[in-house]
Amino acid sequence: FEEFVDRGAIPSLYFEKPYYLVPVRKAEKPYVLLREALREAGRAGIAKVVVRSRQYLAAVMVEEQALVLNAMRFAQELRGLDQFNFPGDDLDALKISKKELAMAGQLIEAMSGDWEPEKYHDEHREALLAYIEEKVEAGKLQPVAPVGDVEEPAPRPESINFMDVLKQSIAETKASQKKARPSRRKKTG
């Protein structure tokens, strides 16, 4: 880990893709130790990871009983809000009445509900799969030319000992803090 930050301090714009972290056999204790320490502190562990040959910033966070690695965007990948011309918040200048604002609030309230992600589906994907299935059944498909040899992914390590990684990270942090401290020795002479 690079550092630990308040979990709520990370704007959602940075998050790209979540991955569940699952401990390998005999690594349950350090997994739970890290999970519970993060939960108790209300922190996320910030790290850099490589996924499919691309480096990402990542936040390791607790989600119920799981550790989740959220691949994130680097700051330079995001455009700043100052690069856009958003309308201000002077409602009078925008000619927004209190009645209009109340009506918009009522509409939001009327359409409000509990978050149930299973209600939402990728309709475009479902329609595309149905179209492909229809073509297969009708026998209207053309053979596809082979793309070439596909590279085998690199073998995954058998296990990662979180305790060793945690100890190494702490040692590296202490070493970098010692280097950053100014010397307090008195000058003689």
Side-chain angles (χ1 to χ4, degrees), residues 118-131:
E118 52 283 338
K119 289 192 317 189
Y120 306 98
H121 300 272
D122 183 344
E123 294 165 3
H124 177 75
R125 181 178 184 274
E126 290 172 355
L128 180 61
L129 290 174
Y131 176 75

Side-chain angles (χ1 to χ4, degrees), residues 7-160:
R7 180 182 167 143
I10 307 168
S12 62
L13 292 171
Y14 284 89
F15 295 121
E16 191 166 306
K17 187 171 186 178
Y19 296 90
Y20 289 112
L21 299 176
V22 179
V24 293
R25 209 176 83 198
K26 297 186 180 182
E28 291 88 357
K29 183 178 179 179
Y31 182 92
V32 171
L33 179 63
L34 177 61
R35 182 188 69 202
E36 295 309 311
L38 286 173
R39 184 190 318 271
E40 193 171 305
R43 302 277 178 175
I46 303 298
K48 291 179 186 170
V49 298
V50 176
V51 178
R52 295 189 179 117
S53 74
R54 179 175 173 228
Q55 186 179 47
Y56 290 88
L57 189 61
V60 175
M61 306 165 104
V62 177
E63 189 63 45
E64 296 182 22
Q65 299 302 335
L67 285 174
V68 178
L69 182 140
N70 288 286
M72 300 169 61
R73 297 172 184 91
F74 286 98
Q76 72 265 20
E77 295 177 79
L78 297 174
R79 293 180 65 186
L81 294 175
D82 59 348
Q83 295 179 11
F84 299 93
N85 187 19
F86 296 108
D89 54 3
D90 184 353
L91 302 182
D92 291 333
L94 296 166
K95 298 181 179 163
I96 296 175
S97 70
K98 289 183 180 186
K99 184 177 179 180
E100 289 172 318
L101 190 57
M103 286 174 38
Q106 289 172 353
L107 176 62
I108 290 171
E109 188 59 36
M111 294 179 68
S112 293
D114 294 330
W115 171 240
E116 297 176 41
E118 52 283 338
K119 289 192 317 189
Y120 306 98
H121 300 272
D122 183 344
E123 294 165 3
H124 177 75
R125 181 178 184 274
E126 290 172 355
L128 180 61
L129 290 174
Y131 176 75
I132 291 170
E133 186 64 33
E134 185 179 299
K135 290 290 188 180
V136 168
E137 288 175 6
K140 295 182 178 180
L141 293 178
Q142 300 295 320
V144 177
V147 177
D149 293 335
V150 177
E151 238 181 80
E152 287 292 319
R156 292 175 42 189
E158 282 297 312
S159 68
I160 296 172

